[in-house]
Amino acid sequence: MQIDEISFNPKKLSSIALILNELITNAMKYAFADFKDAEIRVDVYQKENTVTILFEDNGVTIPESITLENSPGFGLRLIDLLTKQVNGIILMERKNGTKFILKFEV
């Protein structure tokens, strides 16, 4: 983990905590079913008024057919809704695992 010291208002912090919880839960549940050397990385940093949260795992990559808006489960859709709640954007990259990049203004 690499985390800058950043202050959030309680409502935004609650949404961010739920997003991270969903990302970690999904990685543990789906990416590492039979994977031994599991790694999860979380970086949080602020540049001027923009906070960036990078979440990545080295597990099984999420299939191209699954998107945040078009997920068969509730977890990724919840992440999408919570990202909109904090007026942020989230991108998903698929390469050697899955990486999520969440950006929003403080």
Side-chain angles (χ1 to χ4, degrees), residues 27 30-32 35 37-39 56-62 96-98:
Y30 301 111
F32 301 123
F35 198 78
D37 296 318
E39 290 185 24
E56 59 186 314
D57 65 62
N58 66 339
V60 175
T61 304
I62 294 176
N96 300 322
T98 306

Side-chain angles (χ1 to χ4, degrees), residues 62-68 70-72 76 92 94:
I62 294 176
E64 291 286 337
S65 61
I66 296 177
T67 65
L68 291 163
N70 179 28
S71 173
L76 290 177
M92 182 173 24
R94 299 167 175 93

